[in-house]
Amino acid sequence: MPDYDLLVFDWDGTLADSIGRIVDAMQHAAASCDLAPRDATQVKGIIGLGLPEAILSLYPQLDEAAVGAFRDQYAQRYIALEATPSPLFDGVLEGLERFRRDGFQLAVATGKARRGLDRVLKAHGLDTFFDITRAADETRSKPHPLMLEEILQHCGVGPERALMIGDSAFDLQMARNAGMPCVAVGYGAIELKALLAYEPVLAIDRFPQLTAWLQPGEPLSARSE
């Protein structure tokens, strides 16, 4: 049985099936700002960063004002797309509820801004569910470890007793920078094989595999459902 006290989840591409909408909003913003388009693979490669950092990664030539204009276009498009919230992946809600019953502390560490994170948490009835959530605009962007260090301090847990679960290289590099083990998620932004270099303790292509792995005495058949 893996021995952890705290589970920290990325949001987009790990808990919520929102990657397609992020790509759409990024491409819409680029077109609105008369910038050369970036393809879906390029956009997926920056998911996990805070939005200003993501924009500059795709368009390093932009000045502060241009980044602000791009950010406004992105936000307008994304909020419109999220009029119906991106669904949680299969097994996520059941898994989170099981983790809570089993006594884990639970947290979210996301590249979203606080306003966006609060909006989606409320939409899914999870606004009071997690012990702590951290958003990119109130701390340092991934892969800097500050976000995780703040979560660990709040929860009173050492990094070796916590687990970061994410679908991007930024998630797993952040965990490495914090001295925390990680789980690689292969159904989000990045293919699983590209995340194995970060030496995750577990690699999954469906959320229920994590739930089964963290449950003592689960029958082996349950691990492949």
Side-chain angles (χ1 to χ4, degrees):
M1 164 63 181
D3 198 8
Y4 302 106
D5 300 317
L6 168 64
L7 306 178
V8 184
F9 297 93
D10 169 59
W11 183 265
D12 294 303
T14 298
L15 297 181
D17 188 4
S18 51
I19 299 300
R21 293 180 180 182
I22 294 173
V23 172
D24 181 300
M26 278 288 187
Q27 293 175 334
H28 171 84
S32 298
C33 295
D34 295 320
L35 294 169
R38 299 293 186 259
D39 64 28
T41 299
Q42 290 172 304
V43 175
K44 289 178 181 180
I46 55 79
I47 292 175
L49 293 173
L51 185 54
E53 292 83 2
I55 295 167
L56 283 171
S57 181
L58 292 173
Y59 299 98
Q61 76 275 19
L62 298 185
D63 60 20
E64 184 175 352
V67 169
F70 190 109
R71 185 174 186 168
D72 289 345
Q73 290 293 327
Y74 172 88
Q76 290 174 23
R77 178 68 169 180
Y78 190 77
I79 290 170
L81 292 170
E82 282 283 293
T84 299
S86 296
L88 302 179
F89 285 106
D90 290 344
V92 164
L93 186 58
E94 298 87 347
L96 291 175
E97 291 173 343
R98 175 67 181 267
F99 298 148
R100 173 63 70 203
R101 291 196 302 271
D102 287 349
F104 289 103
Q105 294 189 74
L106 303 176
V108 170
T110 180
K112 283 186 176 299
R114 169 52 61 185
R115 184 176 178 181
L117 177 60
D118 286 348
R119 184 180 64 250
V120 296
L121 288 172
K122 184 175 181 180
H124 286 288
L126 296 172
D127 44 324
T128 62
F129 185 84
F130 295 95
D131 294 279
I132 180 175
T133 61
R134 299 300 287 160
D137 63 340
E138 60 193 8
T139 183
R140 295 286 297 275
S141 176
K142 302 171 185 179
H144 193 282
L146 182 59
M147 192 180 296
L148 290 181
E149 291 167 352
E150 292 169 344
I151 290 171
L152 292 169
Q153 182 177 17
H154 175 87
C155 294
V157 174
E160 72 285 351
R161 302 280 300 181
L163 194 60
M164 176 68 210
I165 300 100
D167 68 309
S168 79
F170 304 115
D171 297 323
L172 306 195
Q173 183 62 56
M174 177 176 66
R176 176 177 285 181
N177 292 342
M180 182 186 299
C182 64
V183 170
V185 168
Y187 51 77
I190 305 297
E191 290 186 7
L192 198 56
K193 63 182 180 181
L195 300 176
L196 298 181
Y198 296 92
E199 300 179 320
V201 296
L202 178 69
I204 63 174
D205 53 25
R206 287 169 289 115
F207 192 89
Q209 292 171 319
L210 174 67
T211 309
W213 187 69
L214 288 168
Q215 308 311 317
E218 282 282 344
L220 187 60
S221 61
R223 298 172 185 259
S224 58
E225 292 177 353

